Amino acid sequence: MNLRRRQFLHAALTGAAGAVLAEGNTSLVAALTQEIVGVPPVPNGTWFHPRVCMIGKTAFMTLQHIKGSDYFGPVHWMTSDDLGRSWSEPVPVPALGWEKVENGHEGVCDVTPEYHAKTNSILALGHNVYYRTTKFEKDQPPRWPVYAVWKNGEWGPRRKLEWDDPRGSYIYSNNCGQRVVAPNGDVMMSFTFGVKDKPRAVCGVRCSFDGEELRVVETGNALLNSTGRGLLEPSVTFFQDKYYLTIRAEDERGYVSTSVDGVNYETQTAWAWDDGEPLSMSTTQQHWLTHSDGLFLVYTRKDSSNLNVMRWRAPLWMAQVDTTTLRLIRSTERTALPLIGDGINAPDKVAFYGNFGVMNASAEESWITDGSWAPKDNNRGDLHLARVKWAKPNRLVIGG
């Protein structure tokens, strides 16, 4: 594409070498570096929700403005043909902007793009959101997944993913969630769903996709949690013949579950360290970082450095999962994106993370992308990219 390029601003952050996973087992992570992506400034706001997929050798990112809590602008997209060293200008996705509706506008947020090899297309899936004023109002009308498809160099129309189950009469969504494309082209994902004023549940979902229309084929059993809004923002991955699900919750925990078929999941268990100590998490999404030889979780948690940061949303961490016990191996934890500032004495100056994406960019490296945001410090923020350099090739990446 003949678009003007913006170069990365390389931040002098960290470039750590691999840690020891367990006794006698060298880490898969050879190095971890961070960069700040140069993008045009956003008046009174910043860029948010950056998530990437690869189409061939091209990195394809969706992102949008944020100017207040859950107050998002139209979805944009940009690309890189040199593994993220430079990027095109972000431009709006025509189908995923604001549309005029009665008493306000319908927008789209929480988009995750995913390449679909069978149809050589990109499925950009988020969900709708309504604005009557210049802020997000919690009393929303019913909400559902919204998507658009990029194919043959252009965007298709805005579509709704239909699901007629009354359990999702108020909301059903895969917002911010990771999905898995099965070998037959089916899209394996998950819904958070519920009726008005009741805690939400989570279930596994199998969809068909023909390059234009996404259809729900099958849903599984409901996973439940009665605290607060229930279970939220589930993400799915597939690792060594099993599906894994990680879930945001509002009881100061995150949860993990597994499935053989990607539809019916076991009862969730709270994320804990390998010694059994639960992780303290505060209603923030987690995502998977999947290598052919190891499974990792990326997350936020309570730490002595961030006690006064809202919901402990900096730093962003990663650690390897013991897939036998479904616990995190404490010795493998490392900082994916650092807390910048003083999380104890000046927490309002700390830009927080949490609405992020994870993907395999090549056989040699994977990316974590996030838009930091300091709402009490003039809505400032940056667009971050962490590169996880692997010690051995990731065989999940074909032709990487």
Side-chain angles (χ1 to χ4, degrees):
M1 300 178 66
N2 295 319
L3 298 173
R4 184 166 67 88
R5 297 286 171 177
R6 287 181 173 265
Q7 301 296 323
F8 268 123
L9 306 175
H10 289 270
L13 297 174
T14 65
V20 175
L21 283 184
E23 188 174 355
N25 185 13
T26 303
S27 174
L28 284 171
V29 180
L32 177 57
T33 62
Q34 293 91 7
E35 302 166 1
I36 295 176
V37 182
V39 285
V42 177
N44 304 312
T46 189
W47 292 99
F48 211 61
H49 286 312
R51 297 187 179 91
V52 185
C53 67
M54 299 298 296
I55 179 167
K57 299 293 185 181
T58 297
F60 190 107
M61 179 186 288
T62 56
L63 65 168
Q64 61 192 138
H65 305 159
I66 186 170
K67 295 187 177 183
S69 180
D70 287 324
Y71 187 65
F72 303 112
V75 178
H76 288 59
W77 67 294
M78 62 185 191
T79 61
S80 172
D81 295 323
D82 55 10
L83 271 182
R85 294 174 180 82
S86 62
W87 292 85
S88 63
E89 291 279 357
V91 294
V93 177
L96 300 182
W98 281 25
E99 294 186 352
K100 182 69 177 174
V101 295
E102 186 177 1
N103 299 322
H105 292 85
E106 180 191 49
V108 178
C109 63
D110 296 357
V111 171
T112 299
E114 186 77 33
Y115 177 64
H116 190 262
K118 189 173 182 180
T119 61
N120 194 33
S121 63
I122 291 175
L123 173 63
L125 177 67
H127 72 175
N128 60 346
V129 60
Y130 295 93
Y131 300 116
R132 288 191 289 266
T133 63
T134 56
K135 66 178 183 179
F136 175 81
E137 298 176 22
K138 292 184 178 180
D139 186 18
Q140 291 273 304
R143 299 169 70 184
W144 48 74
V146 171
Y147 66 95
V149 177
W150 188 89
K151 188 176 183 179
N152 298 326
E154 60 183 16
W155 285 99
R158 181 181 188 134
R159 296 179 187 267
K160 172 185 177 181
L161 175 56
E162 302 281 354
W163 191 44
D164 60 3
D165 194 311
R167 296 176 300 165
S169 60
Y170 180 63
I171 188 169
Y172 63 98
S173 179
N174 181 244
N175 58 310
C176 302
Q178 291 170 295
R179 311 182 295 274
V180 173
V181 179
N184 67 353
D186 283 353
V187 178
M188 311 301 297
M189 60 184 195
S190 49
F191 282 161
T192 173
F193 63 92
V195 299
K196 192 172 178 64
D197 298 325
K198 297 292 184 181
R200 295 187 217 167
V202 158
C203 69
V205 181
R206 179 170 68 90
C207 291
S208 65
F209 181 60
D210 61 7
E212 294 184 3
E213 195 164 353
L214 187 67
R215 296 181 179 90
V216 174
V217 174
E218 183 181 8
T219 59
N221 58 302
L223 305 182
L224 306 174
N225 183 306
S226 61
T227 301
R229 290 179 294 164
L231 298 177
L232 311 170
E233 295 179 334
S235 269
V236 174
T237 194
F238 185 77
F239 178 71
Q240 295 182 355
D241 298 323
K242 188 179 291 186
Y243 289 90
Y244 291 79
L245 179 67
T246 188
I247 312 168
R248 168 183 170 182
E250 301 205 314
D251 57 2
E252 294 198 354
R253 296 289 180 262
Y255 287 90
V256 58
S257 179
T258 61
S259 170
V260 174
D261 61 7
V263 176
N264 300 289
Y265 280 86
E266 300 292 331
T267 300
Q268 74 274 14
T269 58
W271 278 113
W273 296 115
D274 42 4
D275 63 4
E277 179 188 352
L279 272 75
S280 294
M281 297 175 165
S282 183
T283 186
T284 301
Q285 62 195 244
Q286 314 105 44
H287 295 305
W288 301 106
L289 175 57
T290 310
H291 186 283
S292 53
D293 297 302
L295 181 62
F296 296 77
L297 187 73
V298 185
Y299 54 93
T300 57
R301 65 167 178 86
K302 185 178 182 179
D303 178 70
S304 60
S305 68
N306 65 8
L307 295 179
N308 294 326
V309 175
M310 190 195 78
R311 288 159 42 196
W312 313 320
R313 285 185 59 171
L316 195 64
W317 311 86
M318 62 175 285
Q320 188 165 1
V321 179
D322 182 328
T323 56
T324 300
T325 63
L326 296 182
R327 293 177 176 178
L328 298 181
I329 303 170
R330 194 192 294 263
S331 63
T332 70
E333 187 183 55
R334 58 200 303 151
T335 302
L337 290 172
L339 185 155
I340 301 175
D342 186 339
I344 305 299
N345 299 306
D348 290 349
K349 297 291 186 179
V350 175
F352 54 74
Y353 308 112
N355 292 72
F356 62 101
V358 182
M359 72 97 189
N360 294 327
S362 71
E364 288 71 40
E365 69 178 49
S366 297
W367 295 356
I368 302 167
T369 51
D370 204 340
S372 63
W373 180 44
K376 295 183 179 181
D377 192 19
N378 298 315
N379 275 336
R380 67 173 177 82
D382 286 305
L383 191 59
H384 300 262
L385 187 154
R387 297 177 187 265
V388 180
K389 306 292 183 65
W390 298 115
K392 57 193 298 188
N394 186 350
R395 290 174 282 109
L396 299 178
V397 181
I398 300 173

